[in-house]
Amino acid sequence: MKTYSKGARRRAKKELAEMPGLAPVKRREPNGRAKRTVDDRDPSAAPLAVRCRQNGLTHNAAGRREARAPWYGCAAGRAMAAAVCDHDERARLWDAIQHMRRVQVAHDRAIGAPARHPKCLRLLVPIEAMSADAETPPLDERTDEEKQRAATSAIMRLEGWLGYTDKAARSEALRVVIDDYEARDIVGLLSALLCVVDGMAGRRTMMWRGRG
């Protein structure tokens, strides 16, 4: 089979393009479009565009990168991110949000209570496919009674931490974090989350963060 040099192929292509009556053929993308779009390159771009619009982020590369943060996926996270700019502080407050949800879900399951809110449970489901490896936590072999005692202790600890802010802030935190309602009292929400941050850090002397 005869082969041609790169130069010969370029000359043949040029001669073909110069032939009268033949328009140059533009190479198209596999999906038939003349040009790739952002959505073609990144299947998650469309959902991220919605997040950008909902959170007032610019729909560009930087905005989409910001919108990938997990806290933009729920009411508590969005309210927290709107009020806090520092990334490390956001991460600490997001850990507090997740901890509150884990404790509440574990307690509800231990006592056989129905799911409080389907959104709360969906927020705890991992996005990636589940698989076991060396880092996978061991199987929980505790009895139902042991699980219930642990869940009760955990929720009592959480309630103790939240006791270092005022009643309105505690109610707002439970309403927004646990039931995923939109925040109405962001100052109260943040004060309650900071109490949880203090408790998770194991601080012996908790700071009063209530108003008044």
Side-chain angles (χ1 to χ4, degrees), residues 76-91:
R78 288 192 297 269
M80 176 273 293
V84 178
C85 295
D86 182 74
H87 181 81
D88 291 339
E89 185 68 9
R90 284 180 174 180

Side-chain angles (χ1 to χ4, degrees), residues 32-113:
R33 295 178 183 174
K35 185 178 180 181
R36 297 185 74 185
T37 64
V38 172
D39 290 353
D40 295 329
R41 294 191 293 271
D42 183 0
S44 66
L48 289 176
V50 175
R51 277 195 179 186
C52 287
R53 185 168 60 252
Q54 290 176 338
N55 295 284
L57 302 172
T58 304
H59 187 210
N60 55 19
R64 289 191 296 275
R65 186 165 54 250
E66 169 71 9
R68 289 181 186 276
W71 40 78
Y72 285 114
C74 67
R78 288 192 297 269
M80 176 273 293
V84 178
C85 295
D86 182 74
H87 181 81
D88 291 339
E89 185 68 9
R90 284 180 174 180
R92 284 190 290 271
L93 293 169
W94 179 244
D95 285 344
I97 290 171
Q98 290 182 299
H99 180 77
M100 288 182 65
R101 288 181 178 143
R102 284 192 296 266
V103 168
Q104 187 65 63
V105 170
H107 181 261
D108 288 348
R109 287 175 177 169
I111 64 175

Side-chain angles (χ1 to χ4, degrees), residues 157-173:
R157 256 193 321 272
L158 176 61
E159 290 172 352
W161 298 342
L162 292 174
Y164 283 87
T165 188
D166 56 81
K167 183 177 179 181
R170 294 196 298 272
S171 298
E172 178 73 354

Side-chain angles (χ1 to χ4, degrees), residues 142-207:
R142 294 176 299 172
T143 65
D144 291 342
E145 291 77 11
E146 290 172 334
K147 291 179 182 178
Q148 184 171 350
R149 284 197 298 270
T152 301
S153 297
I155 202 163
M156 289 178 66
R157 256 193 321 272
L158 176 61
E159 290 172 352
W161 298 342
L162 292 174
Y164 283 87
T165 188
D166 56 81
K167 183 177 179 181
R170 294 196 298 272
S171 298
E172 178 73 354
L174 294 174
R175 190 183 70 85
V176 177
V177 174
I178 303 303
D179 292 325
D180 200 35
Y181 287 111
E182 293 299 325
R184 295 189 299 231
D185 179 8
I186 295 180
V187 173
L189 172 64
L190 291 179
S191 70
L193 290 178
L194 286 170
C195 289
V196 178
V197 170
D198 289 346
M200 293 175 65
R203 295 175 184 169
R204 294 184 177 181
T205 305
M206 295 283 289
M207 179 186 301

